[in-house]
């Protein structure tokens, strides 16, 4: 796999700090360069003077009907339309925060991704990795780095691919039938840009057939990678 172009080093500065914003307490990386590629910035709040009515139900605000800002979209709502407090890991909030119904639904789906898929990716799985059109492959443990910024490949060689450089993920399956039978993920083709150039590299990941005890783990890892690509 020599010369695959998977350059760049993982940042050693993964330290975090607690910050307080109008939206709540957040545990964020000390250095912006160490931020997760899945993170979101806090949105600016719609100024109070620009929202005399709820931006969902059009109820007029007064001394009784108070206005609340959704922590995800920054829009202004009445309590009825913005009553849910939901975890928002993409913004690193320590506790669940107030969100409108639409944003709460999105955040709930993302929380499942953070709780399940990301953990699977960080735990890693074993694959045969082939570079480009080469006929040689190397057995490697593939995992997502703890700061979620790099795909790390460890075998006789060691490579790190920055997640934001990945341009395409194609999951390879078997077992498909014209009648819509069940399929099983057996590998993937990954395309990524080489930092500092427009060159696009390709890697193929294949689950080893002689590692039956790891098949379930590999399949779960590939399914999680598919979620990441979305």
């Amino acid at each position: 796999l020599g010369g695959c172009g998977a350059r760049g080093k993982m940042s050693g500065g993964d330290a975090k700090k607690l910050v307080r914003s109008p939206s709540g307490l957040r545990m964020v990386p000390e250095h912006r360069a160490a931020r997760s590629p899945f993170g979101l910035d806090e949105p600016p709040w719609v100024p109070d003077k620009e929202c005399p009515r709820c931006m969902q139900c059009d109820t007029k605000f007064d001394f009784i009907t108070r206005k609340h800002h959704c922590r995800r979209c920054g829009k202004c709502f009445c309590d009825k339309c913005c009553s849910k407090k939901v975890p928002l890991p993409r913004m690193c909030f320590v506790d669940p925060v107030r969100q409108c119904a639409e944003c709460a639904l999105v955040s709930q789906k993302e929380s499942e991704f953070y709780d399940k898929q990301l953990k699977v990716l960080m735990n890693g799985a074993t694959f045969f990795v082939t570079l480009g059109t080469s006929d040689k492959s190397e057995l490697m443990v593939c995992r997502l780095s703890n700061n979620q910024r790099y795909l790390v490949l460890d075998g006789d060689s060691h490579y790190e691919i920055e997640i934001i450089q990945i341009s395409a993920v194609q999951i390879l399956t078997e077992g498909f039938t014209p009648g819509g039978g069940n399929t099983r993920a057996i590998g993937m083709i990954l395309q990524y840009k080489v930092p500092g150039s427009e060159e696009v590299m390709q890697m193929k990941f294949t689950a080893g057939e002689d590692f039956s005890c790891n098949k379930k783990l590999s399949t779960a890892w590939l399914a999680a990678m598919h979620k990441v690509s979305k």
Side-chain angles (χ1 to χ4, degrees):
L1 292 177
C4 77
R7 299 295 181 240
K9 295 183 179 292
M10 287 186 293
S11 170
D14 290 341
K16 295 186 176 183
K17 61 181 179 181
L18 192 64
V19 298
R20 181 183 293 276
S21 74
S23 298
L25 284 173
R26 301 169 65 219
M27 184 65 75
V28 301
E30 283 192 353
H31 304 287
R32 190 174 181 84
R35 287 187 52 182
S36 165
F38 307 112
L40 289 176
D41 289 326
E42 284 188 79
W45 283 10
V46 174
D48 287 350
K49 62 182 180 180
E50 294 181 13
C51 53
R53 296 177 178 273
C54 173
M55 300 178 78
Q56 177 65 41
C57 69
D58 205 38
T59 296
K60 185 177 181 180
F61 295 123
D62 54 29
F63 288 110
I64 298 176
T65 306
R66 297 181 57 200
K67 61 185 67 174
H68 301 279
H69 286 86
C70 171
R71 272 50 175 172
R72 187 183 180 102
C73 67
K75 294 180 181 178
C76 209
F77 303 92
C78 67
D79 183 69
K80 182 179 178 180
C81 294
C82 194
S83 61
K84 293 186 177 181
K85 289 193 175 183
V86 179
L88 186 45
R90 291 189 70 185
M91 290 185 191
C92 304
F93 282 110
V94 174
D95 300 309
V97 291
R98 188 185 292 270
Q99 298 175 59
C100 66
E102 183 177 347
C103 286
L105 186 61
V106 175
S107 294
Q108 285 169 340
K109 291 180 179 178
E110 289 177 349
S111 290
E112 181 181 347
F113 170 72
Y114 268 76
D115 291 340
K116 296 180 181 179
Q117 279 82 17
L118 276 186
K119 288 181 180 179
V120 168
L121 290 175
M122 287 190 283
N123 286 336
T126 303
F127 297 93
F128 285 104
V129 180
T130 308
L131 174 65
T133 58
S134 173
D135 57 358
K136 295 182 180 180
S137 61
E138 182 178 331
L139 187 63
M140 308 191 84
V141 174
C142 307
R143 64 178 179 84
L144 187 67
S145 63
N146 290 337
N147 61 14
Q148 304 164 3
R149 291 179 56 83
Y150 293 85
L151 185 62
V152 182
L153 289 74
D154 274 312
D156 289 336
S157 308
H158 174 83
Y159 296 101
E160 298 159 5
I161 301 173
E162 198 167 5
I163 294 296
I164 61 172
Q165 299 294 341
I166 295 175
S167 56
V169 175
Q170 177 188 352
I171 302 299
L172 306 175
T173 61
E174 68 174 9
F176 175 77
T177 62
N182 292 330
T183 61
R184 180 174 67 91
I186 59 171
M188 74 173 178
I189 294 176
L190 189 75
Q191 292 182 336
Y192 62 93
K193 292 182 179 180
V194 178
S197 77
E198 293 301 313
E199 184 181 5
V200 176
M201 302 296 294
Q202 179 172 296
M203 278 185 174
K204 182 178 180 180
F205 297 67
T206 307
E209 290 301 317
D210 52 341
F211 292 92
S212 57
C213 62
N214 288 328
K215 277 186 179 179
K216 187 175 181 180
L217 183 62
S218 298
T219 299
W221 195 91
L222 290 168
M225 195 67 191
H226 183 56
K227 288 267 188 181
V228 166
S229 68
K230 292 183 175 181

